[in-house]
Amino acid sequence: MSDKAVITCALNGVLTDPKQHNVPVTPEQMAREAKAAFDAGASIMHIHLRQQAPNKGHLPSWEVAVSKEIQQAIREACPGVIINHTSGVSGPNYSGALDCIRETRPEIAACNAGSLNYLKVKADNTWAWPPMMFDNAVEKVKDYLDVMNAVGTIPEFECFDVGIVRCVGMYRQVGMYSGPLEYNFVMGVASGMPADPELLPILIKLKRPEAHWQVTAIGREEIWPLHQRCAELGGHLRTGLEDTFYLADGKKVTSNGQLIEAVAACARRAGREIASPAEARKIFGTNR
């Protein structure tokens, strides 16, 4: 168990519409939200990029210039902060994501470690969105890992299901990746792993023994027992407006800072201190 808990803030996500929810889009907004999270205990900022034109903030962007501007704004607002860059793209054209990692060299970047039928059913028994495949074939994963290896970026292996957790060990076995290992157990996607605290011991058993791990808990107020159990079992913590808008009492938040305060409280209830950015760099083995 790690005595210090590293907290990641997922600032905005790719699906949340700024016209409906209070998610940041511009560099100034990203920096402001990052500062609120940083002051509450987050040492890592997970960022998604949005188009910057008026009324386009609900659409994703893979412009290197946008990534650089957002990262610079966050780093200026949060001295020593660690950037965790998104990389998830469905379909065969993911060159933009590779370019962003290659050109901006973030300390950490998401590496989606396997494919998932991304599904959700509404209360009226119809699809919440057209069924889609979030495709992450081995060849695609290798392309991401090769770029990350080349620029010294640590992959955060995103695992949406139990079998994907096991795949990460295989990537290590065949030599696709040999650096520091970090698993992110993504729990709460309707067609993936449920946000069930009782699943955590199984996932911990299946990961590589030397690897760090954290939980991304997606949902509403029902996710907070999962955060608490993660803290108790020695995992690192993540939350933010990408993952939820709600506290354990059902109150809807207006800022990432409120969520980070709540997840930091989970760590403290488990008897753990919050890692500083410098301590997080040491724990995860970042080389810059």
Side-chain angles (χ1 to χ4, degrees):
M1 174 175 174
S2 175
D3 291 334
K4 296 288 182 81
V6 178
I7 298 180
T8 296
C9 181
L11 288 167
N12 56 351
V14 68
L15 298 175
T16 42
D17 188 339
K19 292 182 179 180
Q20 296 178 326
H21 304 287
N22 192 36
V23 294
V25 171
T26 67
E28 294 78 14
Q29 292 167 349
M30 293 287 280
R32 183 182 65 244
E33 280 294 300
K35 182 65 163 57
F38 188 78
D39 289 346
S43 55
I44 302 176
M45 303 297 159
H46 178 62
I47 63 170
H48 285 254
L49 313 176
R50 305 295 189 87
Q51 293 185 23
Q52 299 295 301
N55 299 316
K56 297 292 185 180
H58 62 293
L59 298 174
S61 170
W62 293 106
E63 292 186 41
V64 171
V66 172
S67 180
K68 287 182 176 179
E69 290 176 19
I70 286 173
Q71 291 190 50
Q72 180 179 350
I74 291 174
R75 292 186 193 280
E76 289 176 356
C78 309
V81 75
I82 298 167
I83 297 294
N84 177 329
H85 205 292
T86 185
S87 69
V89 179
S90 294
N93 183 10
Y94 46 95
S95 60
L98 295 179
D99 288 343
C100 283
I101 295 167
R102 185 185 294 111
E103 298 298 324
T104 71
R105 302 168 62 92
E107 292 94 336
I108 300 172
C111 182
N112 294 281
S115 299
L116 181 77
N117 283 318
Y118 208 87
L119 311 174
K120 186 176 181 179
V121 175
K122 296 188 293 186
D124 64 0
N125 296 322
T126 62
W127 295 117
W129 54 73
M132 62 169 287
M133 166 65 78
F134 184 26
D135 57 310
N136 295 288
V138 172
E139 294 79 11
K140 188 174 183 178
V141 173
K142 185 176 186 302
D143 286 343
Y144 279 111
L145 291 175
D146 287 348
V147 169
M148 293 181 200
N149 284 333
V151 300
T153 294
I154 294 175
E156 179 186 82
F157 287 100
E158 313 292 318
C159 301
F160 292 83
D161 217 338
V162 174
I164 299 176
V165 175
R166 301 178 74 188
C167 289
V168 174
M170 298 182 198
Y171 301 152
R172 175 78 102 192
Q173 281 183 278
V174 300
M176 286 171 57
Y177 177 70
S178 60
L181 267 182
E182 181 186 348
Y183 290 74
N184 181 19
F185 302 140
V186 183
M187 305 173 73
V189 174
S191 54
M193 293 187 289
D196 184 348
E198 294 185 8
L199 187 55
L200 283 180
I202 298 172
L203 300 176
I204 296 168
K205 180 180 179 181
L206 292 175
K207 75 174 184 66
R208 295 280 293 212
E210 73 275 19
H212 297 288
W213 63 279
Q214 70 173 19
V215 165
T216 290
I218 298 173
R220 296 170 72 105
E221 58 267 29
E222 75 278 358
I223 64 176
W224 288 95
L226 176 58
H227 284 305
Q228 188 62 53
R229 191 63 179 139
C230 173
E232 293 166 356
L233 292 174
H236 299 293
L237 300 165
R238 164 181 150 157
T239 191
L241 294 175
E242 175 175 7
D243 304 335
T244 190
F245 300 107
Y246 297 93
L247 298 173
D249 62 2
K251 179 182 177 182
K252 188 173 183 179
V253 302
T254 57
S255 170
N256 281 286
Q258 296 163 280
L259 292 168
I260 298 303
E261 288 174 359
V263 84
C266 291
R268 295 188 179 103
R269 283 194 296 270
R272 299 172 66 191
E273 296 180 8
I274 308 304
S276 68
E279 290 168 332
R281 290 174 186 276
K282 185 175 181 181
I283 289 168
F284 287 153
T286 61
N287 56 13
R288 58 180 182 276

